[in-house]
Amino acid sequence: MFLLIGAAQAQTPTVTSISPARNTYSVPRNKTVEVNFSQSLYLEDANSQILKIFSAQTGYVKTGAIGTSNNTVKFVPGAGFRPGETISATITTAARSSSGQKLAKPLVFQFTTATSPSKGVFGGDADPGIGNNATSATLGDVDGDGDLDMLVANYNNEGTVSVQLNNGKGTFSSKGHEVRVGAGPYQVVLGDVDGDGDLDLLTPNANTAVSTVSVRLNDGKGNFGGTQEVPTGENPHALALGDIDGDGDLDLLAANYVDSKSNFVTSTVSVRLNDGTGKFSAVGQEVTVGTRPISIALGDIDNDGDLDFVTANSNTVTSSVRLNDGLGSFSGSQEVVVGTNPHSVVLGDIDGDGDLDLVTGDLNSSTASLRLNNGQGTFSGDKVVDITSGARSVALNDIDGDGDLDLLAPNYTANTVSVRLNNGAGAFSGKQEVSIGAGSYSIALGDLDNDGDLDLVTVNNTSNTVSVRFNESETKKLEEEISVFPNPAHLKAQLQFPPRFAEQLVQVRIVDMVGRTMSDQQVTTQQIATQPLMLHNLATGVYHLRLDTSEGSIVKRLIVE
């Protein structure tokens, strides 16, 4: 029995603030997740049922401390999140006030973690062979040993996913084991669908007589089993996982390439809800979208506390936008005009205004299309980023660790990855082309060698290889010419530049080991020569000292005693 004291306590509680804010990027990897409510909470409720947190690269986050105090719920990650990964948090209706009133509507939000400063230049020449007709790869720690493993979908009638384990340094097992799934898996996606703390795998199967999504559950050691086949619309080619109904588990959305009933005028996205144990409904909403969607992305694009979706409609010039009512039902009719034959779509706040923008990789346009969000889920504009040739895939993340989202697009015919750096306001520049294998279908980003920055992997369909390219954290010439002393330092340190840098502006940034910017200033090299770098506000520890110069960026290790 609950004791009601005053009418205010009988009111339905609401969420008054969340931290990190929704759609934030470059969040420190040890950041406490905090939710504040309008009323005091019933403290005997199970905290883990109120706040659910999922890592895209490790699964349901169990390592950490969660607690409730008055009107606040907090989660302190134990080992920290991984660099550049998407974290999804759900505040469920299990939250109730001390008077017994439940939260009226769940709230779901996402944020992206920080990466360590680096030059954002990729090198290496590892191109291990893979199965025949591979089309997709994803990265995640499937065996729980602290590094990112690689899973590759083999788009053939045998229906297999290759699991290749990482040795911790970015080298993958030459002979991974094969997981049987439905025929023609076009993509492989990882997510903890049964909530046991490890990553399960799902594939949309385009060649089965009855179109399905295969669900294979992880035993925690990277071994996958099960036989669940979730019926969908016709020829699913793309898949996304997210808590679309706010009940604390991951649901699935499958983008169906064709729909014979519509005579190929439109296609559908199948919505299948999770019962919390990793079992998905056999039927659900079929959401009408543009023709032949081959990519789908989830995110809160209208900033109302639930996950919406967008698709890339591959034989058109459009991306379909459909909004969630908060309970997992989608509607809307916005068709955003993009480049010709978009084969990939991603969401991210490219201009730093707090909402998710839309980027497509356009196969027949040699461009990536950028469409800016007005904050309410409506996209507009005609900006493009030039890339070398048509892209079947595109990725957004902070590859140089400067706190904004950069763009990478593998070029299907040029056999390169175009790397374009963001200036923080959504303008992309650069001419870096990273050599990869022939006929790239997809790209995945992750910290493969555990040095805090993001490396890349591409699946090369024509050459039957995977290209692994490592992010180079330093420029050797500049690294040798620019010095910092003393190091270790106590209260101050001095920077020394070569003579040719006279009167140049240099951005000097100190970042701690979990990605927090501790100091950021723009000074001339003349000022640097006469004024030491003051460190008295820094705690004892190891830091990254990032120097952005006219000749590039370097990162030095700075020890403060």
Side-chain angles (χ1 to χ4, degrees), residues 363 366 387-391 409-418 433-440 460 462:
L363 183 61
S366 296
I387 58 177
T388 299
S389 67
N411 302 295
Y412 180 65
T413 57
N415 304 331
T416 64
V417 174
S418 295
E433 299 292 330
V434 183
S435 178
I436 57 172
S440 176
N460 312 313
T462 303

Side-chain angles (χ1 to χ4, degrees), residues 508-544:
V508 181
R509 183 181 295 117
I510 300 176
V511 180
D512 70 8
M513 296 303 288
V514 294
R516 294 177 297 189
T517 299
M518 311 304 293
S519 173
D520 191 357
Q521 57 182 316
Q522 190 177 63
V523 294
T524 67
T525 50
Q526 185 178 31
Q527 290 172 320
I528 290 172
T530 59
Q531 300 174 11
L533 188 64
M534 303 308 296
L535 308 174
H536 59 277
N537 290 326
L538 298 180
T540 300
V542 181
Y543 296 85
H544 293 292

Side-chain angles (χ1 to χ4, degrees), residues 180-254:
R180 292 301 300 265
V181 293
Y186 195 80
Q187 184 186 19
V188 57
V189 175
L190 290 172
D192 186 2
V193 298
D194 55 358
D196 63 352
D198 54 43
L199 292 172
D200 310 301
L201 76 81
L202 296 87
T203 61
N205 308 314
N207 292 350
T208 50
V210 178
S211 299
T212 65
V213 166
S214 294
V215 181
R216 302 294 182 263
L217 301 181
N218 192 345
D219 67 356
K221 299 179 181 179
N223 302 306
F224 297 87
T227 59
Q228 184 182 178
E229 300 293 330
V230 183
T232 65
E234 294 181 70
N235 297 101
H237 274 58
L239 186 64
L241 295 175
D243 188 1
I244 62 171
D245 56 356
D247 64 351
D249 54 44
L250 300 181
D251 309 298
L252 73 84
L253 285 80

